[in-house]
Amino acid sequence: TNCLTMTWRLFKNLSEEQQRYEKQLIFEHPVFVKLCQQLLRDARRMTRGDLVFSLHAVVHLGVPQNTLLVQTLVRVCQEKLNQLDNRCISVLATTLAGMEKDKNVSALQAGLQLLVEQRASSIRDIFILQNLMKCLGKDAPVFLKKKLEMAVLREIDGLTFPNALRMFLALAAMNYCSLPILNACSKKIQENVHDAPFRQLILILEACHTLQYRNVKLLSALADYVNSTAYLWDKRQIILFLSACETLGFQPRELLDIFTEKVTEDPEFLNLKNLLIVLRVYSRLNYVPRVQKHLFFETLHSCLNKCLPQISSTELLKAVYSLGILGYLPRHALDVLLQKDSKDELRLSDEFKEQNSVMLRCVKTCMELDSPSFTKPAFVLTENLSSLVSLNLRKAQEALIELLGGENMFRQNVRLPYKYHIDFEIRMDSVRKKVLPVAATDDHPDSCVQRLAFLFAPMSAFCLGTTHPQGKLAMKKRHLNKLGYHVILIQNKKFQEMTNEDAVEFLKGKIYSEDAFSFPEATVQDNN
């Protein structure tokens, strides 16, 4: 056992290429064959520790799972399962996690799961607990996950930084969001973030995404650390970090500004893959740099033009769509895209036809509404979709009725040109002092009335922890401004949490506030 274990320890530290070469030498060595034969003969006489460590070593050295040696060790482990101590259980769980399912392995896994269930409350070693969580994985029954959670919480006060990192990832592997454990781990990680290697930072962000854990303080601490040490990281590492933030809807503003400078100073690293990631990140997070914005977008446009000979139709559509969301129209790339559209290459060349169709429609809308030549129409054709509102808008409807005095003072479920939809529309006089009945203003040109559009959006439509709208919602707001609407964005979840009286006062403030009538420019210049 000692010989096999030491061989594995030396072997695992080699590079992949070295491992292939050494593995061949090990398997061809006559002493290794004798060692395996002796292990096969003595399996049933071995101590529990020697047994599980031997199985762990031979499996990880690459001895085929269907060999008599591996299958014998698995069966003997099954026979001696109740004799294993907690450390042996942990090692066995690690071994089984790396094996393919077969009859003997499945039987041993089932027995191991029952044993962990019985002993979970008595395990005091947090390292063993987190290893069991990681190895049992997402397929473990919920009651077992709960037992392991309670065992961890009993030992949480002794949590170290390395254990906090591993525990975070173990919960992700088990796909179990335990807020008390995650919060404790987050606090420890924030205190020691400077000790975390870059790969661990990415794994933490990925775990947050898997667990749908949105801790703004944790994410801000990670972003601040990468921001303060940005000079140490390769540009591709920063792209990887920003991409992981984007999947969480988290906007690290300072880091995005620093990365903008790196792009404008040296854009050569932006190959097609990196360019598409950068465009996706900036567009979804609705981030226009505070300085060098024109240079930044021109640089991205130039990189996109260089990629045109090798870019696929779908990738080109995604790139132009991302820039369109930010209010930037890349002329040359647009021409190429429209040529492909005229040949039906965009709809027929990809399995995501519906998604491509939506993106293409959005691009064409941007071409029209974001064009410098577009002027606000005197009338906007609208249509009421239904007099009924969805359940999650019922509270808003009732608040507006109480505030304005009746349903005739507003419209609901309004459909606009370009397939846009608004939840509620209110019309006010030109001096913005009085709300007007809808019917009385139908024949008046828009110059005589002020139109308010209420959009009740989910929290996921905003950057995490802020009221800053993400790309699609920001683009919709920009386009509604172009059509003559003053847009009021409301986070529906927070609105639903208000009392009825507070909801009425909140809407009153939004309707009569001067901020409701500011017209932000619908261009790259002031998009943010």
Side-chain angles (χ1 to χ4, degrees):
T1 300
N2 291 342
C3 182
L4 286 168
T5 302
M6 182 54 69
T7 303
W8 158 240
R9 286 176 180 168
L10 295 171
F11 181 79
K12 71 176 180 179
N13 292 324
L14 302 175
S15 67
E16 194 174 333
E17 187 177 345
Q18 286 177 311
Q19 283 187 355
R20 281 196 296 270
Y21 175 69
E22 289 292 341
K23 181 178 176 180
Q24 185 178 352
L25 292 180
I26 291 170
F27 281 21
E28 290 175 353
H29 199 291
V31 174
F32 182 73
V33 175
K34 290 181 180 178
L35 197 63
C36 290
Q37 289 172 345
Q38 183 180 348
L39 182 58
L40 183 61
R41 286 195 307 269
D42 295 345
R44 283 184 165 78
R45 294 197 297 271
M46 297 176 80
T47 64
R48 59 193 182 187
D50 287 346
L51 178 65
V52 294
F53 276 99
S54 295
L55 176 61
H56 180 272
V58 297
V59 167
H60 285 88
L61 283 171
V63 176
Q65 188 173 316
N66 60 357
T67 56
L68 179 61
L69 173 61
V70 174
Q71 291 296 322
T72 299
L73 291 173
V74 168
R75 286 196 298 270
V76 175
C77 283
Q78 195 173 345
E79 292 168 7
K80 296 188 174 185
L81 192 58
N82 288 326
Q83 301 172 24
L84 302 184
D85 60 17
N86 293 339
R87 183 170 178 239
C88 291
I89 289 173
S90 179
V91 174
L92 182 58
T94 304
T95 306
L96 293 177
M99 297 179 72
E100 295 178 5
K101 293 281 194 297
D102 63 28
K103 185 178 178 181
N104 287 326
V105 169
S106 296
L108 183 53
Q109 282 179 325
L112 182 65
Q113 190 169 292
L114 287 171
L115 189 61
V116 172
E117 180 189 339
Q118 294 169 6
R119 295 195 190 173
S121 58
S122 64
I123 300 175
R124 294 284 179 266
D125 190 322
I126 204 159
F127 180 84
I128 290 176
L129 286 168
Q130 68 197 16
N131 192 54
L132 288 172
M133 293 164 76
K134 178 183 174 182
C135 295
L136 291 173
K138 60 184 180 182
D139 294 329
V142 175
F143 69 85
L144 180 54
K145 294 178 181 179
K146 189 70 179 173
K147 279 195 170 186
L148 289 168
E149 176 191 21
M150 298 309 294
V152 171
L153 288 173
R154 280 193 294 270
E155 309 300 323
I156 203 74
D157 290 341
L159 193 68
T160 63
F161 173 60
N163 277 341
L165 285 173
R166 284 192 290 262
M167 182 60 69
F168 214 97
L169 304 182
L171 286 168
M174 201 166 60
N175 198 13
Y176 185 70
C177 186
S178 167
L179 287 177
I181 297 177
L182 286 172
N183 290 339
C185 291
S186 295
K187 187 177 179 182
K188 189 65 68 173
I189 291 170
Q190 289 171 56
E191 293 169 356
N192 300 273
V193 66
H194 52 276
D195 292 329
F198 184 82
R199 180 60 186 157
Q200 290 288 347
L201 301 180
I202 300 299
L203 291 175
I204 291 168
L205 293 176
E206 290 174 350
C208 286
H209 178 63
T210 299
L211 297 168
Q212 297 184 357
Y213 179 63
R214 304 292 188 262
N215 186 323
V216 177
K217 287 185 178 179
L218 171 64
L219 299 179
S220 298
L222 299 184
D224 289 345
Y225 170 63
V226 175
N227 180 40
S228 65
T229 56
Y231 61 92
L232 296 174
W233 310 116
D234 182 83
K235 296 184 190 75
R236 291 168 184 80
Q237 287 179 304
I238 297 179
I239 287 177
L240 194 62
F241 185 85
L242 289 175
S243 180
C245 287
E246 177 261 330
T247 60
L248 293 165
F250 175 71
Q251 188 196 72
R253 297 176 65 89
E254 288 77 13
L255 185 59
L256 285 163
D257 273 337
I258 287 176
F259 185 72
T260 298
E261 291 179 24
K262 291 181 179 290
V263 169
T264 52
E265 289 170 3
D266 177 27
E268 294 303 315
F269 76 96
L270 279 180
N271 57 25
L272 177 58
K273 179 183 175 183
N274 289 337
L275 175 64
L276 291 172
I277 294 173
V278 170
L279 289 172
R280 189 189 75 232
V281 168
Y282 278 74
S283 63
R284 186 189 170 192
L285 298 179
N286 180 31
Y287 191 77
V288 175
R290 286 173 281 192
V291 293
Q292 296 185 319
K293 39 198 156 191
H294 288 294
L295 178 59
F296 177 67
F297 281 101
E298 289 300 326
T299 302
L300 294 180
H301 188 188
S302 175
C303 292
L304 179 57
N305 288 340
K306 289 178 184 177
C307 294
L308 287 178
Q310 79 229 45
I311 198 169
S312 70
S313 299
T314 302
E315 288 170 335
L316 176 59
L317 176 58
K318 287 179 179 178
V320 174
Y321 170 74
S322 294
L323 287 167
I325 282 179
L326 291 165
Y328 183 87
L329 301 174
R331 291 297 172 189
H332 183 44
L334 264 173
D335 292 340
V336 176
L337 181 70
L338 294 176
Q339 288 172 15
K340 289 178 178 289
D341 179 43
S342 66
K343 300 174 184 176
D344 273 347
E345 291 180 26
L346 297 172
R347 294 185 177 88
L348 299 176
S349 61
D350 188 56
E351 58 180 301
F352 303 106
K353 293 180 182 178
E354 186 178 346
Q355 181 182 337
N356 279 8
S357 178
V358 171
M359 285 195 290
L360 184 61
R361 187 182 73 239
C362 172
V363 168
K364 291 180 176 178
T365 300
C366 290
M367 288 176 63
E368 188 170 341
L369 295 180
D370 291 330
S371 169
S373 61
F374 179 82
T375 55
K376 189 181 84 169
F379 285 94
V380 177
L381 294 175
T382 62
E383 177 187 353
N384 277 29
L385 291 175
S386 169
S387 59
L388 300 174
V389 296
S390 60
L391 192 61
N392 65 340
L393 292 175
R394 195 74 53 78
K395 184 172 188 172
Q397 181 192 41
E398 292 169 356
L400 285 172
I401 291 172
E402 182 177 342
L403 176 62
L404 303 178
E407 288 192 51
N408 65 319
M409 303 299 289
F410 62 90
R411 299 172 71 196
Q412 53 204 24
N413 287 336
V414 183
R415 184 164 65 188
L416 306 177
Y418 308 99
K419 293 200 173 183
Y420 280 128
H421 164 270
I422 56 180
D423 298 317
F424 299 98
E425 178 188 335
I426 291 175
R427 299 176 189 178
M428 302 185 77
D429 63 346
S430 57
V431 293
R432 309 193 300 265
K433 298 293 185 184
K434 182 180 178 183
V435 176
L436 304 174
V438 173
T441 58
D442 277 341
D443 298 328
H444 289 63
D446 281 5
S447 59
C448 298
V449 297
Q450 300 281 357
R451 293 171 180 259
L452 270 68
F454 284 84
L455 301 180
F456 287 79
M459 299 296 284
S460 58
F462 299 86
C463 290
L464 186 65
T466 72
T467 55
H468 183 72
Q470 291 188 16
K472 290 181 184 178
L473 182 59
M475 178 183 65
K476 181 176 180 178
K477 181 176 185 288
R478 184 175 77 238
H479 287 168
L480 292 182
N481 287 156
K482 285 277 192 172
L483 293 173
Y485 282 90
H486 305 277
V487 181
I488 297 174
L489 299 179
I490 297 173
Q491 294 180 336
N492 198 25
K493 183 176 183 292
K494 291 189 176 180
F495 183 80
Q496 296 297 330
E497 292 169 354
M498 296 179 187
T499 64
N500 293 336
E501 294 78 12
D502 288 343
V504 171
E505 285 301 313
F506 175 80
L507 292 179
K508 183 179 179 180
K510 290 292 182 183
I511 292 170
Y512 296 104
S513 166
E514 288 293 324
D515 293 341
F517 297 96
S518 59
F519 265 108
E521 282 295 316
T523 62
V524 164
Q525 286 87 329
D526 294 301
N527 178 273
N528 212 34

